[in-house]
């Protein structure tokens, strides 16, 4: 692959975006900003973030940083960005 000409079609984070269920607010905000900028700058790439065991609380009454990350992108939708905490079928165009 020539890095100057070819790009991936999909980038997947397969869990544990964060190393614990809650992280510092400034780290979360920086992560959101980086991900949002990447999705906006590369609309032809699909970004998928899947929650791992460190990203969520076992107690569902608590809100994790990953859940806040997910809620942000639910309100500020990017058509090429998916944040998943449960089973989901992703359909995207074939290239």
């Amino acid at each position: 692959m020539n890095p100057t000409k070819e790009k991936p079609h999909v980038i997947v984070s397969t869990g544990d975006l964060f190393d614990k269920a809650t992280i510092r607010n400034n780290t979360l905000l920086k992560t959101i900003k980086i991900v949002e900028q990447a999705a906006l700058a590369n609309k032809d790439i699909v970004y998928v973030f899947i929650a791992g065991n460190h990203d969520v609380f076992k107690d569902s009454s608590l809100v994790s940083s990953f859940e806040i990350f997910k809620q942000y992108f639910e309100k500020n939708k990017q058509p090429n960005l998916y944040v998943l905490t449960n089973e989901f079928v992703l359909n995207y165009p074939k290239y």
Side-chain angles (χ1 to χ4, degrees):
M1 178 183 337
N2 182 340
T4 60
K5 293 187 179 190
E6 295 184 35
K7 292 182 180 181
H9 298 289
V10 180
I11 296 176
V12 180
S13 170
T14 58
D16 295 338
L17 180 62
F18 307 120
D19 64 345
K20 53 189 170 184
T22 56
I23 60 170
R24 293 178 12 187
N25 288 342
N26 64 333
T27 302
L28 176 59
L29 292 173
K30 187 174 185 177
T31 303
I32 288 170
K33 181 179 178 181
I34 290 168
V35 168
E36 188 168 45
Q37 287 176 341
L40 288 168
N42 301 288
K43 294 182 186 242
D44 55 333
I45 299 174
V46 175
Y47 294 84
V48 182
F49 295 88
I50 302 168
N53 64 323
H54 292 123
D55 290 320
V56 294
F57 285 110
K58 290 182 176 143
D59 180 350
S60 61
S61 69
L62 301 173
V63 178
S64 69
S65 295
F66 190 89
E67 186 60 36
I68 294 168
F69 177 82
K70 180 182 178 191
Q71 289 173 6
Y72 176 85
F73 287 110
E74 285 173 349
K75 291 180 182 172
N76 300 279
K77 293 191 184 297
Q78 301 298 326
N80 59 329
L81 187 119
Y82 300 87
V83 182
L84 312 174
T85 54
N86 51 17
E87 289 185 26
F88 183 85
V89 176
L90 176 64
N91 294 311
Y92 63 94
K94 293 185 179 189
Y95 295 90

